[in-house]
Amino acid sequence: RDCWQADIKYSAGWKQWKRTSSKSWKKVLNEVKELSSYLELWRHDIHSIGGKFGTGIQSYFSFLRFLVLLNFIIFILMFSFVTFPSIISKYGIFNSTIAKIPPENIEPHCTVYKPSDNKGLVYFYTYLKDLLSGTGFLEDTSLFYGYYIIDAPWLSIPRYNLPLAYLLATFAYLGLSLLWIIKRSVEGFKQSLVHDEDQFQSYCNKVFAGWDFCITDPYAARLKHSSLQYELQTDLEEERLKRKIADRTMKDKLRIYSLRIFINIIVIAVLSGCFYSIYRVTVFSQENSNDVSNSNFQANLLVQYLPSMVITLANFIAPQIFSFLIRFEDYLPAFEIRLTLMRCVFVRLANIGVLLFSLWSQISYCATDKCKACGYNYELYPCWESDVGQEMYKLMIFDFIIIVAVTLFVDFPRKLLVTHCSCKPVQWCGLQEFGISDNVLGIIYGQTICWIGTFFSPLLPAIATIKYFIIFYIKKTSLMHTCKPAARPFRASSSNFFFLVVLLIGLVLAFIPLGISIAYIPSSKACGPFRNFNISWAVVPDTILRFPMGLQQVLHGIASEAFAVPFFMVICLIMFYFIALAGAHKRVVEQLREQLVMVRFDPLFCTPKV
Amino acid sequence: AYKRFSELLPKEERENACSARAPKSQILTLPELRANPFQHRICRVFSTSDSGDDSISFEDFLDMLSVFSDSATSDIKSHYAFRIFDFDDDGTLDRKDLEKLVNCLTGQDEESRLSNAEMEQLIQNILEESDIDKDGTINLSEFQHVVSRSPDFARYGGFQQ
């Protein structure tokens, strides 16, 4: 205190003015930041969840908010470039007309398409069935691909190339998602990198600087106590396990490695079982739902939803099996958690892939010559993109129904049971813990469906936005009223990064089916904006051929080998440079660390000030 | 700050707040200290009372706020942190001090404490990382050395104004 008083006496008037002006500037900046944070959606809700349940669960809800915003932006993109022009030209607003270019060089039998319009008296439940399965009255709306048969709406003067817009909007939303996710994950990556580098004196750091002095709420304090205790205990346990692993004999190692190989074989067997069952069920469902017999409404609906049900069942059973098996593999606890999560992620995303693959095998199955002329099974699937869109729509609706049903029929009754019934087994089960990883994988699964399905069903992002919006409130209510706080606190920074990495894997996996649909499978000739093209991608070369000669030559030049090979070599050189730089930094860090250790024991540096 | 201090005093002494002392029980009602496991040590360290009842005068109160504010240097913070962690006031952090420190951090209940074996392992690790002269205790300079390389200390060692 005496030092400070001396300081204040000797500072001149100018320095004081500088200090006060910088203080007021900081105040203004803080106030602006506070005001702008009021504009954030759900800011108060997420803050209160974080205070009560910890930062791990809070990161789940802010991840959900991110997905709501992403889906909303994707919807705006698709709507403004694809749906809106189609609607205004179909209804003739703004003096627009539609130009339907008659298809050339196409067999007439390929272009026959009659969406099953329900005419005349229909029962009420037909509408319900159509709403749930995307057929009937929904099939001809702008929800599905088949609606967009306009080739070129004329909006007053400019001619709007709808097929090109459709394709480019698809690439745009995929690119936008990729960039946004990478931007968010870079921030998380930096944090997790810094955190990992702290192995040097992790114990001292945790003990001397572990308590956050800003905590004022006793409940938050209790959470912090338990999280500190858990962190210290896991660190000590990991150290003990590492020592045990280092002491393993040759015989032990052989035994453990052979056990691991055996368990991995079991895992692969479980996965193949899942995939095969999904394949069989999809084939069965497609075969049986195509004989339209409206007599048995429930049976028909059940058959239609069978693939979704089997996928949900597989997504539920497989993680339980994996978490049971991993106990025998004797890994470190942190690695165990990561490996189980990666396996669950793989199961969920590969299930969608198998479903799509089985759909395509049905669509491209061609026995007759007539069928081969079209390129796809025109009898059963005159508009196959709409059918794929319907499957994605059904998956999304079913996912939503399951989440609502589980919350209503499992969580709330469990809470009622635990509070009112005091028998031993019920109390031992206890209240449910909010399983962060399961919930995150669930919403990533839903988001992958949305990304794949948006090409076949442009209004799907709107449904996804509404779905995630409602899920936020459902999960929040379920959390507040039926869950107890987790005994094992999650580390927020690394988990944020982990969620985004898995989301990125989902996005990359969504590229594959879309790529195959756009570039490989012939587009349906009876409906959709790509009627006149062999494959959907063909609209791009077609457009380029209409550009002025100069621009065409430039584009041809970029795509040719003369440009690609030097470009590739330059990219490789830049990559090698960055790898070398990273290696050099690592070596510098190692050297500095060794120096620090030397400094610790160097008597010159360590004269204690007594 | 003056207003907050005078609110802690009983009504009769409020006009004379500059020279009055607030009893320890009142200090512990401050929101910043309420949930803090080191509340008793903080009161003991900042109190300059001769009678040993840990009462805080206005100057002590200002001291406390300034040490925990954002503008205090890490030198001062680490100096006071050392005094707070030194439970037996002997000028070094020995095993018993470290044991009490860890117990404060993990919580006051019986079931939230680490087992004896874990405590031994933890204290062993801490001393390995920070004890330079290998005398089994941590003195002030060793503590300041360790804390200066810790990224969390600056972030967590402050009250919000």
Side-chain angles (χ1 to χ4, degrees):
Chain A
R1 207 201 299 158
D2 301 330
C3 294
W4 291 347
Q5 284 175 340
D7 244 334
I8 292 169
K9 269 189 225 161
Y10 288 121
S11 67
W14 165 250
K15 281 196 186 153
Q16 241 179 345
W17 182 83
K18 247 174 76 175
R19 213 182 298 143
T20 43
S21 69
S22 72
K23 260 194 222 168
S24 42
W25 178 242
K26 268 190 209 163
K27 255 195 213 166
V28 165
L29 271 180
N30 274 339
E31 272 173 40
V32 166
K33 257 192 220 168
E34 262 196 59
L35 278 174
S36 64
S37 69
Y38 279 128
L39 293 172
E40 257 178 60
L41 183 66
W42 293 321
R43 176 181 159 269
H44 178 70
D45 292 310
I46 295 184
H47 209 66
S48 67
I49 289 175
K52 287 210 184 111
F53 287 95
T55 41
I57 296 182
Q58 182 189 22
S59 60
Y60 165 77
F61 281 94
S62 57
F63 183 63
L64 199 54
R65 173 178 61 189
F66 163 63
L67 283 181
V68 167
L69 291 172
L70 182 68
N71 280 316
F72 187 64
I73 304 270
I74 293 179
F75 165 65
I76 300 273
L77 196 71
M78 286 302 272
F79 186 75
S80 45
F81 286 107
V82 174
T83 314
F84 191 60
S86 315
I87 293 180
I88 62 177
S89 52
K90 265 210 174 165
Y91 289 106
I93 316 172
F94 296 134
N95 286 335
S96 54
T97 53
I98 46 180
K100 271 198 197 170
I101 304 169
E104 333 145 4
N105 304 332
I106 295 174
E107 307 289 327
H109 60 258
C110 296
T111 58
V112 171
Y113 174 54
K114 283 200 253 310
S116 49
D117 261 334
N118 294 310
K119 293 201 167 70
L121 275 177
V122 286
Y123 287 108
F124 168 72
Y125 59 68
T126 327
Y127 284 120
L128 190 64
K129 168 176 164 285
D130 290 338
L131 196 68
L132 284 175
S133 57
T135 46
F137 78 95
L138 271 185
E139 199 168 332
D140 206 19
T141 58
S142 59
L143 179 61
F144 290 115
Y145 178 94
Y147 175 83
Y148 301 92
I149 55 171
I150 307 143
D151 295 304
W154 289 84
L155 296 149
S156 330
I157 305 163
R159 185 164 162 264
Y160 188 73
N161 193 345
L162 188 73
L164 186 67
Y166 198 104
L167 203 64
L168 288 182
T170 306
F171 293 151
Y173 83 73
L174 287 172
L176 173 75
S177 309
L178 185 69
L179 287 173
W180 201 345
I181 295 175
I182 289 184
K183 173 179 164 294
R184 265 181 86 106
S185 57
V186 158
E187 293 154 7
F189 182 63
K190 282 189 211 158
Q191 274 201 10
S192 80
L193 206 62
V194 165
H195 212 85
D196 277 342
E197 289 295 311
D198 210 44
Q199 299 296 328
F200 190 37
Q201 35 164 65
S202 51
Y203 289 106
C204 281
N205 192 33
K206 286 203 179 95
V207 170
F208 292 138
W211 183 259
D212 186 358
F213 278 68
C214 292
I215 294 180
T216 56
D217 179 35
Y219 191 79
R222 240 182 300 149
L223 273 180
K224 187 76 184 179
H225 279 308
S226 55
S227 90
L228 274 171
Q229 182 197 357
Y230 179 68
E231 267 200 53
L232 287 172
Q233 278 176 333
T234 29
D235 280 347
L236 292 171
E237 203 184 303
E238 272 211 40
E239 203 194 315
R240 280 198 294 265
L241 277 171
K242 273 192 201 149
R243 264 188 238 155
K244 205 177 83 169
I245 289 177
D247 289 338
R248 272 200 199 134
T249 63
M250 206 52 204
K251 207 174 92 171
D252 278 336
K253 278 191 199 165
L254 265 174
R255 184 181 64 87
I256 286 190
Y257 285 145
S258 50
L259 190 63
R260 283 183 193 167
I261 294 178
F262 177 62
I263 290 184
N264 275 315
I265 294 179
I266 298 183
V267 163
I268 295 178
V270 166
L271 285 175
S272 337
C274 286
F275 295 160
Y276 182 69
S277 52
I278 294 174
Y279 176 73
R280 290 289 324 149
V281 161
T282 314
V283 165
F284 174 76
S285 159
Q286 288 293 313
E287 280 167 5
N288 285 35
S289 61
N290 273 320
D291 344 312
V292 177
S293 49
N294 281 323
S295 49
N296 204 341
F297 159 64
Q298 286 102 328
N300 201 327
L301 205 58
L302 197 73
V303 163
Q304 297 240 5
Y305 268 88
L306 213 50
S308 325
M309 286 190 228
V310 170
I311 289 185
T312 310
L313 206 65
N315 285 343
F316 176 70
I317 294 180
Q320 314 275 359
I321 298 181
F322 293 153
S323 52
F324 174 71
L325 283 175
I326 196 136
R327 267 180 253 159
F328 300 109
E329 291 187 70
D330 209 11
Y331 289 117
L332 291 171
F335 188 71
E336 249 184 44
I337 297 176
R338 274 192 216 144
L339 190 59
T340 319
L341 278 169
M342 290 320 284
R343 284 181 180 157
C344 296
V345 162
F346 181 68
V347 156
R348 278 181 190 255
L349 297 178
N351 281 340
I352 307 178
V354 170
L355 172 73
L356 287 170
F357 170 74
S358 36
L359 271 177
W360 278 320
S361 65
Q362 289 286 93
I363 291 170
S364 338
Y365 175 65
C366 257
T368 62
D369 274 335
K370 266 176 108 178
C371 163
K372 287 207 179 90
C374 296
Y376 55 91
N377 194 340
Y378 69 94
E379 289 162 27
L380 291 175
Y381 305 104
C383 192
W384 64 265
E385 285 101 341
S386 283
D387 284 308
V388 179
Q390 280 165 2
E391 281 300 325
M392 298 288 118
Y393 173 78
K394 277 187 267 184
L395 275 178
M396 182 158 276
I397 300 281
F398 191 70
D399 190 38
F400 180 57
I401 292 176
I402 286 286
I403 291 182
V404 172
V406 164
T407 313
L408 278 178
F409 298 122
V410 175
D411 292 345
F412 278 102
R414 187 170 171 172
K415 160 94 191 257
L416 285 171
L417 215 63
V418 170
T419 42
H420 293 292
C421 169
S422 48
C423 51
K424 265 290 173 77
V426 168
Q427 289 300 326
W428 175 75
C429 261
L431 284 176
Q432 127 148 345
E433 263 185 36
F434 192 84
I436 300 179
S437 344
D438 291 326
N439 281 301
V440 165
L441 289 179
I443 56 180
I444 290 179
Y445 162 76
Q447 185 57 39
T448 312
I449 296 176
C450 179
W451 274 321
I452 298 178
T454 304
F455 177 72
F456 304 105
S457 164
L459 294 185
L460 211 62
I463 301 177
T465 310
I466 299 173
K467 172 185 162 198
Y468 286 139
F469 196 83
I470 298 177
I471 285 181
F472 183 89
Y473 287 108
I474 291 178
K475 286 285 174 188
K476 177 166 170 265
T477 326
S478 159
L479 178 73
M480 296 290 195
H481 295 288
T482 65
C483 289
K484 62 178 181 196
R488 304 170 150 216
F490 227 71
R491 228 182 258 164
S493 57
S494 58
S495 57
N496 253 332
F497 177 60
F498 171 73
F499 299 164
L500 291 165
V501 162
V502 179
L503 194 63
L504 208 59
I505 294 177
L507 180 63
V508 167
L509 244 75
F511 281 152
I512 301 178
L514 281 177
I516 296 181
S517 305
I518 293 177
Y520 185 66
I521 301 186
S523 53
S524 46
K525 307 291 179 289
C527 66
F530 302 110
R531 286 182 311 156
N532 298 326
F533 304 100
N534 196 11
I535 50 175
S536 311
W537 172 256
V539 72
V540 170
D542 200 58
T543 319
I544 293 184
L545 283 172
R546 298 198 202 154
F547 284 165
M549 260 331 269
L551 192 57
Q552 265 191 52
Q553 281 180 340
V554 167
L555 288 171
H556 277 299
I558 293 181
S560 70
E561 291 97 16
F563 177 78
V565 170
F567 182 68
F568 181 67
M569 283 178 53
V570 166
I571 297 271
C572 278
L573 278 172
I574 295 179
M575 203 171 68
F576 282 137
Y577 166 70
F578 277 118
I579 293 177
L581 201 63
H585 278 309
K586 239 190 188 164
R587 271 197 296 277
V588 167
V589 166
E590 285 297 325
Q591 278 185 0
L592 284 173
R593 269 205 199 142
E594 281 171 27
Q595 276 191 18
L596 265 177
V597 172
M598 299 293 283
V599 158
R600 272 169 61 175
F601 295 105
D602 191 343
L604 254 180
F605 282 100
C606 289
T607 46
K609 301 182 210 144
V610 176
Chain B
Y2 184 70
K3 219 188 336 175
R4 290 189 73 181
F5 182 71
S6 55
E7 277 165 14
L8 294 173
L9 292 174
K11 270 222 162 71
E12 5 4 302
E13 300 183 31
R14 282 220 182 133
E15 298 92 50
N16 223 3
C18 285
S19 45
R21 307 190 75 91
K24 180 170 172 183
S25 47
Q26 286 291 85
I27 299 289
L28 293 181
T29 60
L30 278 175
E32 288 90 354
L33 290 185
R34 206 169 29 200
N36 201 312
F38 303 113
Q39 33 181 244
H40 301 285
R41 285 299 305 164
I42 292 177
C43 285
R44 170 65 62 87
V45 163
F46 284 102
S47 159
T48 53
S49 85
D50 313 311
S51 53
D53 63 352
D54 293 341
S55 55
I56 305 275
S57 72
F58 184 56
E59 286 173 347
D60 300 334
F61 189 70
L62 277 182
D63 268 346
M64 186 164 67
L65 286 185
S66 59
V67 165
F68 283 120
S69 79
D70 289 328
S71 40
T73 64
S74 81
D75 237 1
I76 293 183
K77 277 193 205 271
S78 53
H79 179 91
Y80 275 95
F82 184 77
R83 284 181 63 192
I84 290 173
F85 292 153
D86 189 8
F87 282 81
D88 48 13
D89 284 323
D90 62 354
T92 59
L93 296 179
D94 58 5
R95 281 176 170 254
K96 285 207 226 23
D97 289 327
L98 289 174
E99 200 174 314
K100 285 202 200 124
L101 172 62
V102 171
N103 282 330
C104 272
L105 280 177
T106 57
Q108 294 306 325
D109 317 320
E110 267 308 309
E111 57 189 30
S112 57
R113 298 196 174 186
L114 299 182
S115 70
N116 279 338
E118 285 171 344
M119 185 68 78
E120 269 305 309
Q121 194 188 349
L122 181 59
I123 293 180
Q124 190 65 36
N125 282 323
I126 294 176
L127 286 176
E128 229 178 82
E129 285 170 3
S130 50
D131 192 9
I132 298 176
D133 49 11
K134 296 293 175 207
D135 61 353
T137 65
I138 304 177
N139 59 25
L140 178 61
S141 44
E142 287 165 352
F143 182 77
Q144 284 183 324
H145 194 197
V146 147
V147 145
S148 65
R149 291 177 315 198
S150 151
D152 288 336
F153 191 73
R155 232 188 311 149
Y156 286 154
F159 292 156
Q160 258 171 359
Q161 218 33 293

